[in-house]
Amino acid sequence: MLCLSDNIRHDDPLVQRLLCTVEEAHTLPELVLAVWSLARVLAIRLVESVLAERARRPTSWPRCPQCGACMRSKGFVKRQVLSLVGPLQWQRRVGRCPQGCETPQVAPLDDELGLQPHQRTSGEFQSLGCAFAVFVPFATAATLLGWASGVAVSPQAVWKWVQAAGQRAMEQLHAQLQAAAEGHLPPEEPLAAEVAAMPLALGADGVMVPFRPEGGDPRGKTAWHEVKVGVLARLGRHRTRTGEMVARLHQRRLVAVFGDIEALQGRLWLEALRQGIRSAPQVVWLSDGARGLWGLFEECFTAYAMGILDFYHAAQQLWKGAAAWLDGRTSNARRWFSWARHRLRHGKPDGVLADLADALDVEGLPPTARDTVRTVYAYLQRHREHIDYAKYKELGLPLGSGMVESACKWLIQQRFKGVGMRWSEDGFNHLLHLRLVWINGRWEALFDLALSPNS
Ligand SMILES: [Zn+2]
């Protein structure tokens, strides 16, 4: 400690004051926090000295975009940026066109450092603030960021970074969708060999989100709109401690859109290509009865995937049929339902369909009951290819779309449906796309940063 204090500058009163705080710290947390403050100040000094050294190197000036003359230095100008270690300040050369063109001034060092002309906070700082905001409200994110960095940040600042980063994520996605639509296939995401050997599961669902009625205006009645979510994952098998085999998702990827089914379709197809739909040993589509989603399956995925209608959903339909045909209050209805459910589950869907067809011939069935039975029959008949549950079980595939639904709900529920929360369309979209970037493991790529300790 004393050796360190001798080595750092004695003429810097801030450093001397912080050194005293370190000496006076009693508890371990106090000591760590005091040293952390000191370390931040030393980090600022270090970064600033590197920047000052780089600023003094010869500058290679670009040409004026208007007249082509080489830009010329107008001398050193101060630059300030807020960073994870605190506020940074340095001087660097700026240049203008010697011919007096109206082109904006240039700062080659800013470009080398990856700084935009009016950027006031550094990328690693914004990235951390955005990462907090992916999970907690903006005000909480600002507080957490203040604790982590020792710099006070407003919730509005975090909100702005989220808007900018979310916009960037959306633009990248649109470019990828455009490329895929023009026939440029995206590269497949690399997979470990054992994961690549697992079946690929796809599914989609809709989740309601509370929006502000008129864009940014917070007044008025909440408008609920459906956000469509798709999930893609490799289906692993995992033995629990009690010896039971359960499905476990690997390489889970989500897509989502506040838009129509076609918008979802493009996103789902793009991600399916990335997740190796064309090379996966087996592909399954899991969904409940929603018609639009099965239409999407028919249009995009039948050539690759086996469709599975959620078993619990199919069973619900059976109960509807039983209740209409045999009167839901009777034990007859319950008895037929259990028997039909059992047969459906164990590979006899045609027997169940035959029973329902017979019910349609029963004389004296009231017309409304007959309509219901007919609807249930038509529904199961339409999904005949998707209700071979015994086969799916044998292949080790799930019978329900529960994991699809829970992934979809989690994406939205955890962050967008807190008490009193209502979203503008832009605000929602930007945060949604950042959340997707996070969940899909593409955060560091979006911010062009290596953040993980061992990366
Ligand atoms: Zn010029």
Side-chain angles (χ1 to χ4, degrees), residues 191-202 232-240 244-252 281-282 284 286 392-393 395-399 403:
L191 287 177
E194 74 267 19
V195 178
M198 295 172 184
L200 172 65
L202 311 166
L232 308 93
R234 295 292 179 143
L235 289 172
R237 310 264 287 149
H238 171 73
R239 192 179 290 282
T240 64
E244 201 189 340
M245 288 298 272
V246 293
R248 178 176 279 184
L249 303 187
H250 296 265
Q251 183 92 355
R252 190 185 65 178
Q282 182 155 45
V284 282
L286 297 160
Y392 311 144
K393 194 73 192 172
L395 290 168
L397 298 171
L399 309 186
M403 62 190 185

Side-chain angles (χ1 to χ4, degrees), residues 117-331:
H118 300 287
Q119 190 176 337
R120 289 188 301 174
T121 42
S122 185
E124 83 293 333
F125 195 46
Q126 294 187 11
S127 157
L128 192 57
C130 289
F132 285 134
V134 160
F135 295 96
V136 295
F138 295 108
T140 315
T143 304
L144 293 175
L145 186 59
W147 286 354
S149 66
V151 179
V153 191
S154 70
Q156 289 75 21
V158 178
W159 184 85
K160 276 186 193 154
W161 303 337
V162 165
Q163 304 311 306
Q167 183 65 33
R168 208 160 67 236
M170 288 175 76
E171 282 163 11
Q172 288 180 4
L173 174 63
H174 283 284
Q176 289 154 0
L177 286 168
Q178 185 72 32
E182 287 164 6
H184 306 288
L185 300 184
E188 286 185 14
E189 249 184 71
L191 287 177
E194 74 267 19
V195 178
M198 295 172 184
L200 172 65
L202 311 166
D205 202 4
V207 188
M208 300 305 279
V209 175
F211 283 92
R212 290 172 171 181
E214 308 278 348
D217 189 346
R219 291 166 304 181
K221 202 166 177 289
T222 301
W224 290 85
H225 294 294
E226 191 188 56
V227 171
K228 295 181 178 67
V229 183
V231 55
L232 308 93
R234 295 292 179 143
L235 289 172
R237 310 264 287 149
H238 171 73
R239 192 179 290 282
T240 64
R241 269 181 294 180
T242 56
E244 201 189 340
M245 288 298 272
V246 293
R248 178 176 279 184
L249 303 187
H250 296 265
Q251 183 92 355
R252 190 185 65 178
R253 297 289 180 262
L254 298 181
V255 300
V257 65
F258 175 31
D260 58 18
I261 204 104
E262 262 169 56
L264 176 70
Q265 187 169 318
R267 284 158 175 78
L268 207 47
W269 178 241
L270 174 70
E271 199 54 50
L273 289 169
R274 278 191 187 141
Q275 298 313 318
I277 189 170
R278 295 178 311 148
S279 55
Q282 182 155 45
V283 184
V284 282
W285 167 266
L286 297 160
S287 183
D288 67 11
R291 266 205 186 203
L293 296 176
W294 279 101
L296 189 162
F297 166 73
E298 302 287 345
E299 197 155 321
C300 268
F301 296 115
T302 35
Y304 300 95
M306 188 162 77
I308 300 179
L309 176 68
D310 180 72
F311 176 72
Y312 308 96
H313 191 83
Q316 260 177 16
Q317 292 294 314
L318 278 186
W319 173 248
K320 247 206 240 170
W325 168 27
L326 299 164
D327 185 344
R329 289 162 300 185
T330 65
S331 58

Side-chain angles (χ1 to χ4, degrees), residues 64 66-69 97 99-101 103:
C64 168
Q66 281 184 36
C67 70
C97 171
Q99 314 279 359
C101 292
T103 51

